[in-house]
């Protein structure tokens, strides 16, 4: 999306299951220059690499725009999953710009066969990010490889709470949250270091209903009524 107001991108399945050859920086959705008051909601973004595993960074949703307060872009209730890659991956990337409302998204990076030495980000907000509101998201990371994996990584100071943040990765360096130069391996440590972040958040296995069928409905009762 470029130079648009009040655009809606809703109810789509975005994938490249038969991709072969070099996968050049695949991005499911990008909100770029001039985009404001956009809504990206109820989309499934998956399998962006096809058969080209390990050749490029991958992004579920990316914004590179900083709309004015009152014209925030909305990223709501999307499912981002099944990124089979040996490279760096982002669920939601607020790299340049900000002023986004990020609510009720489910991000699952669970490729245990990955050998990536690159970074994994559930939600990334860069240093130039404006005010973002990050609430009620379910971020689950259980990825192979020796790279750094983080549910949240902030270079600026968004509002962030009422999320579920779980990182069960068996290898590499694994964080719930990261603010340069320090990462925090537990939710308790993250809360203690940053009292403005995630004081009402959880860190539990969602026990998804049927991931093989793409059903990521959480079954863990510990998550009932924990959003805002």
């Amino acid at each position: 999306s470029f130079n648009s107001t009040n655009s809606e991108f809703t109810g789509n399945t975005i994938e490249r299951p038969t991709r072969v050859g070099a996968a050049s920086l695949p991005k499911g959705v990008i909100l770029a220059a001039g985009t404001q008051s956009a809504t990206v909601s109820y989309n499934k973004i998956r399998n962006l690499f096809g058969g080209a595993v390990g050749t490029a960074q991958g992004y579920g949703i990316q914004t590179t725009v900083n709309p004015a307060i009152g014209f925030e872009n909305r990223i709501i209730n999307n499912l981002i999953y099944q990124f089979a890659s040996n490279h760096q991956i982002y669920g939601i990337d607020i790299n340049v710009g900000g002023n986004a409302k990020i609510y009720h998204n489910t991000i699952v990076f669970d490729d245990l066969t990955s050998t990536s030495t690159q970074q994994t980000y559930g939600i990334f907000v860069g240093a130039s990010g404006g005010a973002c509101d990050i609430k009620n998201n379910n971020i689950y990371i259980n990825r192979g490889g020796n790279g750094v994996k983080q549910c949240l990584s902030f270079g600026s100071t968004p509002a962030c709470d009422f999320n579920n943040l779980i990182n069960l990765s068996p290898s590499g360096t694994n964080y719930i949250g990261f603010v340069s130069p320090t990462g925090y391996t537990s939710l308790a440590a993250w809360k203690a270091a940053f009292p403005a972040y995630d004081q009402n958040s959880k860190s539990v296995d969602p026990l998804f209903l049927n991931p093989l069928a793409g059903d990521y409905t959480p079954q863990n009762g510990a998550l009932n009524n924990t959003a805002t």
Side-chain angles (χ1 to χ4, degrees):
S1 174
F2 289 86
N3 296 318
S4 66
T5 300
N6 294 323
S7 58
E8 295 188 13
F9 196 80
T10 300
N12 303 280
T13 297
I14 304 166
E15 62 182 337
R16 304 194 304 179
T18 61
R19 173 77 189 202
V20 295
S24 178
L25 294 177
K27 299 176 183 180
V29 176
I30 181 168
L31 303 179
T35 300
Q36 59 182 8
S37 301
T39 300
V40 179
S41 61
Y42 300 101
N43 300 291
K44 292 183 178 181
I45 302 171
R46 65 191 184 197
N47 195 12
L48 298 182
F49 297 90
V53 171
T55 61
Q57 300 174 24
Y59 301 80
I61 299 171
Q62 184 184 67
T63 75
T64 60
V65 61
N66 194 24
I69 298 296
F71 296 90
E72 295 90 346
N73 293 312
R74 298 172 295 275
I75 301 170
I76 300 173
N77 207 8
N78 299 281
L79 173 59
I80 300 169
Y81 67 110
Q82 202 179 81
F83 279 26
S85 169
N86 290 329
H87 213 287
Q88 187 166 294
I89 55 175
Y90 297 76
I92 297 173
D93 175 38
I94 313 298
N95 195 353
V96 178
N99 286 344
K101 298 181 182 294
I102 304 169
Y103 302 149
H104 294 288
N105 300 283
T106 297
I107 299 168
V108 179
F109 291 146
D110 61 351
D111 178 17
L112 289 172
T113 66
S114 174
T115 59
S116 177
T117 59
Q118 305 290 326
Q119 303 249 14
T120 303
Y121 302 97
I123 296 176
F124 176 89
V125 180
S128 60
C132 291
D133 194 20
I134 301 170
K135 291 187 173 69
N136 306 337
N137 300 283
N138 197 357
I139 302 176
Y140 176 94
I141 300 177
N142 187 17
R143 189 183 187 210
N146 291 324
V148 177
K149 308 170 191 71
Q150 48 226 305
C151 294
L152 301 172
S153 182
F154 296 154
S156 56
T157 54
C160 186
D161 205 355
F162 296 96
N163 302 292
N164 184 48
L165 310 168
I166 184 75
N167 191 340
L168 301 175
S169 301
S171 58
T173 304
N174 305 304
Y175 299 133
I176 293 296
F178 181 88
V179 174
S180 184
T182 305
Y184 302 87
T185 59
S186 71
L187 181 60
W190 177 241
K191 288 181 178 182
F194 297 99
Y197 295 155
D198 288 298
Q199 296 303 304
N200 296 288
S201 293
K202 300 287 185 180
S203 186
V204 300
D205 189 333
L207 303 177
F208 295 120
L209 181 60
N210 191 352
L212 292 177
D215 188 340
Y216 288 89
T217 305
Q219 299 298 294
N220 193 330
L223 293 177
N224 289 347
N225 300 312
T226 57
T228 183

